[in-house]
Every structure is written in C-alpha cells, then in structure tokens.
Amino acid sequence: MTSAAAGYAAVHAASIADPEGFWLDAARAIDWDTAPQRAFDPQAGVYGRWFPDARLNACFNAVDRHVENGRADQAAIIYDSPVTGTKLTITYRELRDEVAALAAVLAGFGVGRGDRVVIYMPMVPEALFGMLACARLGAIHSVVFGGFAANELAARIEDASPKAILAASCGIEPTRTVAYKPLLDAAVARSSHKPDACLILQRPQAVADLTLGRDHDWAETVATAKAEGRTAAPVAMAATDPLYILYTSGTTGKPKGVVRDTGGYCVALAWSMTNLYGVAPGEVYFCASDIGWVVGHSYIVYAPLLHGCTTVLYEGKPVGTPDAGAFWRVVAEHGVVTLFTAPTALRAIKKDDPRAAKIADYDLSGFRALFLAGERADPDSVAWAETALGKPVIDHWWQTETGWAIAGNPIGIEKLPVKYGSTALPMPGYDLHVLDEAGKPVPADSMGTIALKLPLPPGCLPTLWGSDDRFRSSYLATFAGYYDTSDAGIRDADGYVTVLGRTDDIINVAGHRLSTGGMEAVLAAHPDVAECAVIGIRDTLKGEAPCGFVVLKSGVSKEPAAIERELVARVRDEIGPVAAFKLALTVERLPKTRSGKILRATMKAIADGQSYTTPPTIEDPAVLEEIGESLKTRGIGA
Ligand code: COA
Ligand code: AMP
C-alpha cells in the first residue's frame, strides 16, 4: 500500500475488522423509526442480513426529512430534457407533495406493503415520483428499461406479479418517438399475470388509447387525489424488507430479479456520497444514466436524495441532443459538482469533439470530478477527459447485484493515485480476492476470478426474487464462502483492481448488460436455423457489439441474406433495440471441440483480430479459417 493511501487503508481495514462498529456508525446518516442495535445477523437469510432489528422508510429519508430539516425550498430534482425542450425544477416540498398524492392513488388501487409495482417509463420526473411513492407505501418497485421490447417486459411482469404498472405513453429517442403503450399491452397480453391497474402518463408526443377498466390517466387521477386532499404517509418498514427488484441479464434467457433491501442500501448509499464521491448535502449531482439501470436507481434517485442533494434528471444523449457539448452545458447551467456516466458516452463525445472544443464553451469552474462505470474505462478516453476537463476522472466498478461500487477511488476520504485501466481499491466491507479455478488466491498481477468473501457489505443483494436457490447456485456455489462476481481481473502489488471482463456469456454493449444466451435463444427459434452462437466483438464506440453466427437447416432454399435480416429484426422485436443486434452471419459450420462445445472465445479472438492458439480439442481446425473468411466479408477481423 502506498503511504498516500493511509486514510483509505485505515477506513477499509476498520470495515473488515469491525463491521458492526463501522456500519452502525455509518447508519447514523439515516433517520430510523427503530434505530439498529445490531448491524448484522449472520444467521438470517442466505448469508446473513444487515440491520435485522431496525425499521425505516426510504422515501421519508429521501424526501420528507429534508422538508422538515430546512431544505423544503431547495431543488430536489432538475429535469432537463433536450429531446422535448423542457426544463423544470422540483423542490423537496413539491416532491413530497407529488409523491404523497401519488402514493395515495396507488393505495387506492390496493397497493400496499410488499406488493410489487412495475415501472416502465422514460426519464421523466413522474418515474421518480413513482419509485418514491412505492417506497413510501412499502411496495416493491421494479423498473424496466424503456429500450426493452414486449417480451422482456412480459418476463418481468410474469416473475414480479405486480399489482399495478406505472407507464408512460411514449419515450423519446433523438430520431423517433417510441410508443410504450402498445409494448405494455403486448407484454400484459403475453404474461399469465395481469395487473389490477395501470397508471398511464400521457405525453403529448404520442397519446395512447387507454384500456377501459384497467388503465387510468396519470394526470387526472393524481389531480383528483390532490383536490380531495388525499395523501399517504411513509410506512415504517423492516430494514430487511425489499425496496425494489431490478432484473438483470443472467446466463440463461430468464432475467435475474436482484433484490435490494431497504436499510443496508440506504446506509451504503449515504456513506458513498460523502466518502466515495466527496459530495456535500445541498450540492448538485448529475448521473447521466437511466433509471432502468442500477446506476440510475442508486445515483439518479436514491443516493443524491438521501443525501439532500439536487439530482439532475437528464432526458437526452451525450451527443446529438444537440451536440457533444450537452453534458458540459448541463454541468455549467445547473452548477453540477459531480458527473457520473459510462465510458461509452465519453467515447461518443470524444468522437464528435476530439479537440474538446465544446468544453471551452462552458464555465466548468464549479465542477469537481467525473466518475465512470458500467464497463471498462479505456485509458485513452480517461486521459482525454482528464486533459480536456483538468479535473479528476475516476473509474469505479459495479454490478447490478452490488448496488454501489465494489472498487473505486474514494475522493471524499483521499484521492488515491489514478492508474489507468484500474478501478483502484475495494470499498468498505468488500473483502476482495482474486482466485484461481480451484479457489486458491493467485499471486499479485496474475489473472483470476474476482470473488468477494461473504458477507457482502450493506447495499448488496441478499437474494434473487423468489429464488434463494438460484442465488446460491449462480453466485455462491463456485467458491465456498465467497460471492463469485463472474468478472475476471487482477490485483497489483498495491492492491489495485483491474477488471478484465466477464467469465460468463454476459456482454457489455454501450454500458448495457446483455446475455448472449438470450440472443441465441431468439436466433435458435427461427424455423430455418439449425444452430447458432452469439459473441461480443470489439466495437470502438460501444465497447462490444453482438455478432450472431447461424448454421441453416439443410434444404433451406431462402437467401441467407434474407434470413440474416429476419434474425436482426427478431432480436430487435423480442429483446429490444437496446440489444443493438445488427450483425447475423450464416456459416457452414461452427467451430467445436470434439465433445461438441462451441469455441466462442476463439471465434471472438478471430473477430477482434487477436492472435489465438487453435485449441487441441478442436474437432476440425479448418472451421476457424471459414469463420475468419466469413467475418472478412463484412470487414471484421484481421
Ligand atoms: N427507449 C427506447 N429505445 C432505446 C432506449 C430507450 N430508453 N435507449 C436506447 N434505445 C434504442 C436506441 O434508440 C437505439 O436504437 P436504434 O437501433 O434504432 O438506433 C438502440 O436502442 C441502441 O441504443 P444505444 O446502445 O444507447 O445506442 P445509441 O447509438 O442510441 O447511443 C450512446 C450510443 C453511446 C450515445 C449511448 O449508448 C449512451 O449514451 N450510452 C450510455 C449508456 C449508459 O449510461 N449506461 C448506463 C450504465 S452506467
Ligand atoms: P451491470 O450489472 O449492468 O452494472 O453490469 C455489471 C458488469 O459491468 C460488471 O460485472 C463488469 O463486467 C462491468 N463493469 C461495470 N463497471 C466496470 C468497470 N468500471 N470496469 C470494468 N468493467 C465494469
């Protein structure tokens, strides 16, 4: 450990040596209905539970207490929407009133403690009101990203069995309006579970037809509740009660419902705002993600609001709305101190504005740091941003499962030296090890699987929705006593962590986590496809892009190019545009081992133009050349 890291080192060491003391101390940032006497119960749940004896309400902590403590007139949310030309400031008092009225509406639909509510909405303030209204009632929200198609939404409705669904009539992408209501209707039709009520926010860009008896107009219903003075008060929940379920890609087509508890999450997020991000209450925080992702849940919604900050809700893109200066405009205009985005967004900005001319157009003197996560931050982009901004650029590593950073550079404690390509050091409570296949620690600078010694710290998932068994088999079975991150990585002699990529079939496309297994299931269902393989190939903008190889059934007479187009359309229709599946290649054969395993890693090496050794177990080495030739016809590979 370097001497510069002493402050961090003491904090991390304390969290591992005395987790009870460390997290009870951190818990003082939260207002409890029943304050915790214990931090952790190792006997409860799958691997133990945080704050087993405490009670709180997350919405009260994120909203009401700030109204009571002098922030009533401070901006809670700044909604900045270049795609609709709207800017709106919502104070904490206004937020409380909106959320309390919406919660009353939900209660009127019969939604209460423990009920699930699916939220399928774009980046509009009402989506945040919806999440917080659920939290107020002790209902469990499950937000589904707008870029997913009806099938994916249906799978989530089926699994979560929501009592109500909150949706908007449409989302707005720079080049088109995406009507959400037909997708919602198709998803409900496909699901065997039907919600009692849907509350639909009508947006003028695409007004939806409402289904009589099931759908309610958001604006009218909430206005009536307000006119009648109906509000709902925060309900004291057990700290161990779920706050939300967030579905994420698993290695099978069936998404995993990551459960987030209430107390541990609030404590971890509050700790992170001060210590990891170095942000004070009252300051403006801008997380340019989407509420459909974990980063959006934690750092657009809960963490900034728990901390009494102003959160920027940005409905736009890093480029094209209108240009590559969009983020810097938002930072300057709203007095943002910290921006959190994905490396892919930075690459998009760099591509459009390589000389960083747009940065000079804005006064960024109040801006302090740029944080990156969601995929590996490539050193070129980090160096470009550091030079262009003249501010720290901090990479940190996360998963949907953990809810907050596993490793990072806690500038609120001390700014550790930045090493390009590395996500720095583990955050408190993360006892991080790099293990070989047998579960033995590997030496410094050697690659292995990154595993976290149990228990996981507060904020991390206690289980998967409705499936302790899948939680155990997916994460805890590989290495006894550890959580398997499914990320490969190395630690150097200073303990710095470098995340190299997934050890499973998950790929990361523009910071979005996708399952190649899920895409393969769609391709395999095409009547002309005999077998298929989907791999992630290198993409200069999106990091990775999916590429599907298909072998057609014998006797198929249709043009391969026509089938390829149908396959691209199928993935878009069934998974969604977010899959960015644009490349399907018909091939004669797939490379396989003699035992029939498809050699995906070798195919990826060929596509990425990397050197590879022909696996000794290969059935027929000539297939690799065929794959290389086929890729070359599309200008891919060396
Ligand atoms: N609703 C509907 N469709 C959506 C959508 C949403 N919320 N979000 C994305 N899509 C669509 C896009 O319109 C695009 O459709 P197209 O194939 O018709 O062009 C497709 O899904 C793929 O989107 P994306 O991968 O985002 O590519 P893009 O070319 O539109 O934009 C970037 C590229 C880099 C600007 C964009 O990916 C970006 O800002 N990424 C940051 C990601 C991020 O913040 N991740 C969170 C993790 S921290
Ligand atoms: P998600 O669950 O969508 O947040 O995706 C989590 C996955 O994204 C991780 O398992 C990593 O593979 C990858 N990831 C997230 N942040 C980083 C990072 N800073 N560096 C490298 N990979 C990252």
Side-chain angles (χ1 to χ4, degrees):
M1 195 67 58
T2 58
S3 58
Y8 155 81
V11 170
H12 187 262
S15 77
I16 301 299
D18 177 20
E20 279 283 320
F22 185 90
W23 292 112
L24 281 177
D25 188 42
R28 290 192 292 145
I30 296 303
D31 281 10
W32 303 89
D33 292 276
T34 307
Q37 303 302 310
R38 293 177 73 184
F40 189 67
D41 176 2
Q43 306 307 324
V46 177
Y47 65 85
R49 298 302 307 264
W50 289 99
F51 306 112
D53 56 9
R55 300 188 81 78
L56 76 161
N57 183 277
C59 176
F60 175 82
N61 274 277
V63 183
D64 301 57
R65 66 167 173 162
H66 303 310
V67 179
E68 292 169 12
N69 295 336
R71 297 192 186 281
D73 297 318
Q74 181 197 306
I77 300 171
I78 295 174
Y79 169 55
D80 186 313
S81 168
V83 293
T84 59
T86 316
K87 286 178 199 168
L88 187 68
T89 297
I90 298 155
T91 65
Y92 271 102
R93 191 199 317 278
E94 289 164 341
L95 179 60
R96 194 244 349 243
D97 293 348
E98 289 294 338
V99 170
L102 180 58
V105 168
L106 292 179
F109 294 152
V111 172
R113 185 191 289 261
D115 289 329
R116 274 80 58 210
V117 175
V118 161
I119 301 180
Y120 185 55
M121 294 183 76
M123 292 281 284
V124 291
E126 287 82 355
L128 275 63
F129 303 163
M131 294 166 77
L132 292 164
C134 290
R136 196 171 190 82
L137 297 172
I140 303 165
H141 60 71
S142 188
V143 181
V144 179
F145 179 61
F148 283 123
N151 225 26
E152 293 288 318
L153 178 59
R156 286 151 175 81
I157 294 173
E158 190 80 57
D159 198 65
S161 53
K163 190 158 239 171
I165 297 182
L166 308 183
S169 57
C170 65
I172 298 152
E173 286 295 289
T175 54
R176 67 191 196 289
T177 299
V178 184
Y180 280 15
K181 186 59 180 10
L183 300 173
L184 172 66
D185 290 342
V188 172
R190 270 179 223 190
S191 166
S192 67
H193 173 84
K194 312 289 176 197
D196 293 348
C198 296
L199 191 61
I200 309 294
L201 179 74
Q202 295 283 21
R203 303 188 82 191
Q205 294 80 4
V207 175
D209 293 333
L210 301 188
T211 306
L212 206 66
R214 186 198 71 186
D215 295 349
H216 305 261
D217 180 273
W218 188 302
E220 273 174 36
T221 317
V222 173
T224 306
K226 281 185 187 165
E228 292 172 355
R230 280 192 284 128
T231 59
V235 175
M237 302 298 294
T240 51
D241 280 336
L243 177 63
Y244 64 79
I245 306 165
L246 181 55
Y247 287 89
T248 189
S249 302
T251 49
T252 67
K254 190 177 180 310
K256 291 170 171 168
V258 167
V259 173
R260 190 79 57 215
D261 70 9
T262 307
Y265 186 54
C266 290
V267 170
L269 293 187
W271 184 93
S272 73
M273 286 301 284
T274 305
N275 298 288
L276 172 54
Y277 300 99
V279 173
E283 293 187 319
V284 184
Y285 191 95
F286 175 20
C287 174
S289 178
D290 187 286
I291 51 149
W293 308 118
V294 65
V295 168
H297 278 66
S298 294
Y299 290 102
I300 295 173
V301 187
Y302 285 107
L305 296 179
L306 285 167
H307 202 47
C309 290
T310 300
T311 186
V312 176
L313 178 69
Y314 175 73
E315 189 182 25
K317 300 274 174 176
V319 293
T321 57
D323 57 33
F327 282 3
W328 321 127
R329 196 261 308 155
V330 170
V331 168
E333 195 172 318
H334 304 304
V336 169
V337 297
T338 300
L339 168 62
F340 179 169
T341 191
T344 188
L346 206 55
R347 287 195 297 271
I349 295 170
K350 185 171 72 153
K351 185 162 165 261
D352 278 16
D353 183 20
R355 310 253 280 269
K358 296 278 175 205
I359 292 179
D361 290 347
Y362 299 100
D363 174 7
L364 302 184
S365 53
F367 178 60
R368 293 205 296 265
L370 171 63
F371 280 80
L372 299 173
E375 54 171 323
R376 183 172 174 271
D378 55 288
D380 279 358
S381 300
V382 174
W384 176 85
E386 266 182 357
T387 309
L389 291 165
K391 313 276 169 160
V393 178
I394 306 291
D395 183 15
H396 59 333
W397 168 50
W398 279 61
Q399 299 186 327
T400 302
E401 289 82 348
T402 63
W404 64 296
I406 305 167
N409 193 331
I411 60 171
I413 301 175
E414 63 171 315
K415 180 169 174 282
L416 305 169
V418 169
K419 298 190 190 185
Y420 289 161
S422 165
T423 63
L425 294 164
M427 290 298 96
Y430 288 103
D431 191 0
L432 189 151
H433 300 263
V434 182
L435 305 178
D436 67 15
E437 280 180 11
K440 297 248 156 41
V442 301
D445 294 317
S446 305
M447 186 170 123
T449 298
I450 311 180
L452 306 170
K453 195 153 197 255
L454 294 172
L456 295 169
C460 295
L461 81 173
T463 190
L464 293 175
W465 180 248
S467 188
D468 286 352
D469 285 347
R470 192 174 180 201
F471 175 58
R472 284 193 194 90
S473 63
S474 302
Y475 301 101
L476 309 186
T478 330
F479 308 113
Y482 292 84
Y483 165 90
D484 177 2
T485 66
S486 292
D487 272 315
I490 54 177
R491 283 191 95 172
D492 70 9
D494 293 329
Y496 272 56
V497 181
T498 296
V499 180
L500 297 167
R502 299 282 305 193
T503 57
D504 54 15
D505 75 352
I506 300 292
I507 58 170
N508 204 311
V509 181
H512 309 316
R513 171 168 160 179
L514 299 162
S515 158
T516 55
M519 292 185 226
E520 285 177 4
V522 175
L523 302 187
H526 189 287
D528 296 335
V529 169
E531 58 177 343
C532 64
V534 175
I535 58 170
I537 65 176
R538 195 159 49 202
D539 183 276
T540 48
L541 177 63
K542 299 194 177 189
E544 278 182 303
C547 171
F549 296 85
V550 291
V551 177
L552 300 182
K553 287 178 180 161
S554 56
V556 170
S557 56
K558 212 190 277 177
E559 273 297 302
I563 297 173
E564 288 166 3
R565 281 195 297 277
E566 285 172 20
L567 293 170
V568 167
R570 272 187 175 227
V571 175
R572 192 177 173 92
D573 286 350
E574 293 193 26
I575 296 180
V578 67
F581 183 83
K582 307 249 154 111
L583 188 62
L585 288 173
T586 42
V587 291
E588 290 297 318
R589 304 179 286 172
L590 293 172
K592 290 184 187 172
T593 62
R594 281 190 284 276
S595 60
K597 207 167 163 270
I598 299 172
L599 292 161
R600 290 181 176 76
T602 316
M603 292 164 80
K604 180 174 166 51
I606 296 170
D608 290 347
Q610 288 170 350
S611 61
Y612 63 92
T613 41
T614 303
T617 53
I618 194 165
E619 197 182 37
D620 180 357
V623 190
L624 295 179
E625 279 164 40
E626 292 168 20
I627 293 290
E629 286 306 316
S630 169
L631 284 163
K632 260 192 224 153
T633 62
R634 308 293 174 99
I636 300 165

